Amino acid sequence: MKETITGAEALMKSLESEGVKTIFGYPGGAIMPVYDALYDYTRGEKKAFEHILVRHEQSAVHAAQGFARVSGQVGVCLVTSGPGATNTLTGVADAMMDSTPIVVIAGQVGVAALGTDAFQEVDLVGVAQPISKWSYQIRRPEDVAWAVSRAFFIARSGRPGPVVLDFPKNAQVHTTEWEPQKVDFVRSYVPFPKLDEIAVQQAAELINNAKRPLALVGQGVELAGANQELMDFLERSDIPAGRTMLGLSALPTDHPLNVGMLGMHGNLAPNIKEQECDVLIAIGMRFSDRVTGNTATYAKQAKIIHLDIDRSEINKNVHADVAVVANCKESLPAITALLKKGDHREWRESFLPLAQKEQEQVIEPAIHPSEGPLLMGEVVNAVAEATGGEAILVTDVGQNQLFACRYFKYRHPKSIVTSGGLGTMGFSIPAAIGAVFGIGDRQVCAFMGDGGLQMTIQELGTIMEHKLPVKMILLNNNYLGNVRQWQDMFFNRRKSFTRMMNPDYSKILAGYGIPYRVVIERDSLKEAISEMLSAKGPFLLECAIKDDDDVLPMTPPGKNVDEMMLEI
């Protein structure tokens, strides 16, 4: 016998059937019926969910992203209409750029009031459509089960991404005969393209005949859970691999075939060698402008093989000689099966002088300075050494992000959470909150600058309330550091509104009851990090950083990828 329930309770049952355990949200008028139904599902015998009350709706989305990135599950957030909904849009766009599976459920005015400029009405579906994988308005309670199942199917399948559900109030309070639904097919949507065996053979042939092959590893490997398949491929073919920022933990830092990070602030060797290789194998990456530099001159000497699940990425930025459009968990072993055992020792060894040059001119001065103020690189390196590659790295955006990505260490998959495509400041703290709920038993280290921290500083309240063991490392240089660096380099050192006056963070943290320590002298850095990591709950470690610390190497915008600057 079917059960007659409200649309709001149908939403609860639908989320429960999708396996949801954690919801990040912020209540308001147009979503109150849902929150009333949620009350019974967060306590007592009926308890199905843990709801995390954030302090701002944008943080709800970033927390859902952090949860999704480390757990591999769909992140869920729940907000009200109008400004509650529009506050989520930055996170939706961020999730779209970085292929993060989340479902945003927003309240809406009743259907009868749509188009009347009712209080807190906004056309959320229209606004969200260009920046989401799917957006839909649930106008009737009988459509709830279908819409939720379809939303989760679209969000998690194929190339993952964000889905937005707009939920008018009438559909929340009216009743329906509820029964679970399972959507596993959407007409014209092909999430997992059929593997083209001819393309696989062509790719294998190019790789078998290559003298100087280079692999570019992106987040697609992580999203597919194809880390072992990647290592099997690389070790069989003996191919060196560079990693994109979002793909950093796809390969362990100490793997012998790992030659470093790609891109504008990546490592010297892989960027130089992209312009020397004869076969370039791009695996689950999108040839971002931050990786390629000037596309007119990028890797023109190489045959390019592109493995990606999303056909729209093929030939979008860089022409592919062979395109293998499929899930790389399927395409990588198919290619590996056709490969001869490779031996590219001489080619791999040609990376070493470049790596040594960078080590001497850039890395050593950055992580082991002999004098002067603290540097970002040395703080990141010290935390990385103390955590031994076991921690989850969460970053904000800016210099803190670039230094953290360059010098942190990774031993396990899904170990980096950062805003890559959109570059959202304020990302770190809420994403770290989500990561704690998504990973559970691993240390979460969140790096941030003073600018990014102050964009979402209110989420210290969420950390306080739940006593979340987020280890926050504030790299404080009293500047919007990355903008300041570009002003110094490209705008005649005219520092236009990048100097920041900071508050007394010790008093702010005291107000939230979160342990805090400031480090000014490097002699106390190691001991302070030990204190932070040994603390049972949250901790914020503020490090007083040299105000003009610059991220190097750097490929200036518009330049060729191999035109890297080692000094300014």
Side-chain angles (χ1 to χ4, degrees):
M1 182 176 177
K2 295 179 182 179
E3 187 179 6
T4 300
I5 58 176
T6 67
E9 188 164 4
L11 176 64
M12 297 298 104
K13 289 182 174 293
S14 298
L15 293 175
E16 189 177 16
S17 69
E18 291 295 334
V20 173
K21 302 294 184 186
T22 307
I23 299 171
F24 305 93
Y26 201 97
I31 200 69
M32 283 178 68
V34 167
Y35 267 88
D36 186 64
L38 181 63
Y39 184 90
D40 293 328
Y41 280 79
T42 54
R43 50 187 40 81
E45 293 181 3
K46 208 174 186 180
K47 181 174 181 178
F49 311 121
E50 183 171 19
H51 178 274
I52 311 305
L53 176 66
V54 295
R55 273 43 178 180
H56 190 281
E57 293 90 354
Q58 181 175 333
S59 296
V61 190
H62 293 329
Q65 289 177 271
F67 176 90
R69 293 271 281 273
V70 302
S71 69
Q73 302 171 38
V74 177
V76 178
C77 67
L78 190 60
V79 299
T80 193
S81 64
T86 56
N87 280 344
T88 69
L89 293 175
T90 294
V92 172
D94 194 295
M96 189 68 176
M97 290 283 280
D98 287 352
S99 304
T100 306
I102 61 170
V103 172
V104 176
I105 303 162
Q108 180 61 280
V109 301
V111 168
L114 289 173
T116 68
D117 288 334
F119 178 67
Q120 292 191 333
E121 179 193 357
V122 71
D123 179 8
L124 181 60
V125 171
V127 174
Q129 197 164 21
I131 56 171
S132 63
K133 200 172 175 187
W134 184 52
S135 60
Y136 180 77
Q137 189 173 78
I138 308 172
R139 292 189 163 212
R140 308 182 307 163
E142 49 264 47
D143 294 333
V144 170
W146 167 83
V148 171
S149 182
R150 180 181 169 114
F152 275 77
F153 172 66
I154 291 173
R156 67 163 64 102
S157 62
R159 180 179 180 174
V163 169
V164 175
L165 294 178
D166 194 36
F167 199 8
K169 207 165 185 179
N170 64 285
Q172 299 175 41
V173 298
H174 292 170
T175 59
T176 184
E177 289 187 338
W178 186 86
E179 61 180 345
Q181 292 198 30
K182 187 65 176 177
V183 174
D184 56 11
F185 170 79
V186 175
R187 190 176 53 147
S188 77
Y189 172 55
V190 183
F192 300 103
K194 183 178 179 181
L195 186 64
D196 184 341
E197 297 295 341
I198 294 176
V200 167
Q201 293 169 11
Q202 291 172 337
E205 183 178 359
L206 280 177
I207 295 168
N208 281 331
N209 292 322
K211 303 298 182 186
R212 301 181 306 280
L214 177 62
L216 312 183
V217 177
Q219 189 194 196
V221 171
E222 299 263 57
L223 295 173
N227 301 74
Q228 186 58 53
E229 288 80 0
L230 171 69
M231 284 193 279
D232 293 343
F233 167 79
L234 295 175
E235 290 166 5
R236 175 68 181 172
S237 56
D238 194 38
I239 294 178
R243 302 157 301 156
T244 67
M245 181 181 286
L246 293 182
L248 283 172
S249 63
L251 196 64
T253 301
D254 61 358
H255 193 285
L257 292 173
N258 171 24
V259 293
M261 187 171 83
L262 302 162
M264 177 179 280
H265 290 288
N267 294 109
L268 180 64
N271 281 306
I272 296 292
K273 293 299 180 177
E274 283 178 283
Q275 302 294 72
E276 297 179 12
C277 66
D278 60 355
V279 174
L280 195 67
I281 309 107
I283 307 169
M285 55 88 72
R286 59 188 179 86
F287 287 113
S288 159
D289 61 299
R290 284 295 196 261
V291 167
T292 64
N294 181 8
T295 54
T297 59
Y298 179 73
K300 293 302 180 183
Q301 80 293 339
K303 294 290 185 181
I304 293 178
I305 302 167
H306 195 174
L307 280 61
D308 204 288
I309 198 169
D310 186 353
R311 190 176 297 276
S312 71
E313 290 296 342
I314 305 301
N315 298 326
K316 185 174 80 174
N317 297 326
V318 173
H319 173 75
D321 296 280
V322 176
V324 185
V325 183
N327 189 329
C328 61
K329 194 171 182 68
E330 182 183 8
S331 60
L332 276 172
I335 294 172
T336 303
L338 301 179
L339 296 182
K340 303 171 186 175
K341 180 64 176 174
D343 182 1
H344 296 291
R345 183 180 307 173
E346 184 177 346
W347 165 240
R348 286 190 290 104
E349 288 178 349
S350 71
F351 285 69
L352 298 179
L354 292 166
Q356 185 62 32
K357 182 179 181 180
E358 182 183 355
Q359 184 72 30
E360 293 173 357
Q361 295 187 30
V362 177
I363 296 175
E364 280 301 314
I367 66 175
H368 295 133
S370 58
E371 58 183 8
L374 283 171
L375 302 180
M376 291 192 189
E378 71 173 309
V379 175
V380 173
N381 183 67
V383 176
E385 288 184 349
T387 53
E390 296 293 333
I392 300 287
L393 170 69
V394 183
T395 84
D396 214 272
V397 168
Q399 287 183 319
N400 69 90
Q401 174 188 39
L402 301 169
F403 275 111
C405 290
R406 279 183 57 82
Y407 296 123
F408 212 70
K409 307 290 192 299
Y410 314 90
R411 290 185 58 192
H412 305 288
K414 294 184 172 69
S415 290
I416 178 169
V417 182
T418 191
S419 174
L422 198 65
T424 304
M425 287 181 66
F427 181 83
S428 178
I429 291 182
I433 290 169
V436 167
F437 285 99
I439 202 65
D441 58 349
R442 287 177 63 193
Q443 193 86 261
V444 174
C445 294
F447 287 85
M448 61 203 70
D450 42 314
L453 167 61
Q454 292 183 79
M455 285 193 171
T456 50
I457 197 168
Q458 74 280 350
E459 296 311 321
L460 293 174
T462 308
I463 292 173
M464 170 191 67
E465 180 176 346
H466 295 276
K467 299 180 175 61
L468 302 177
V470 179
K471 310 307 179 186
M472 296 167 280
I473 303 96
L474 169 59
L475 303 175
N476 188 355
N477 57 8
N478 296 294
Y479 271 101
L480 298 175
N482 212 41
V483 184
R484 190 275 311 156
Q485 180 173 335
W486 281 50
Q487 288 173 337
D488 281 352
M489 294 177 68
F490 309 121
F491 293 88
N492 298 317
R493 300 188 177 275
R494 289 157 57 89
K495 297 179 179 62
S496 181
F497 300 101
T498 46
R499 179 78 178 176
M500 295 192 75
M501 178 179 287
N502 277 284
D504 184 339
Y505 290 111
S506 68
K507 293 179 180 178
I508 293 174
L509 271 294
Y512 284 108
I514 296 174
Y516 161 91
R517 180 167 173 177
V518 62
V519 175
I520 297 173
E521 303 295 335
R522 64 175 43 89
D523 290 346
S524 58
L525 178 61
K526 185 175 180 180
E527 189 269 330
I529 290 171
S530 177
E531 179 185 351
M532 174 185 70
L533 295 177
S534 62
K536 290 185 178 180
F539 196 104
L540 190 143
L541 177 63
E542 179 181 2
C543 298
I545 299 297
K546 180 183 179 185
D547 61 5
D548 60 350
D549 193 9
D550 292 320
V551 188
L552 292 168
M554 179 178 183
T555 301
K559 295 292 186 179
N560 300 337
V561 68
D562 57 345
E563 294 183 274
M564 297 200 83
M565 301 169 60
L566 298 183
E567 59 183 9
I568 295 178

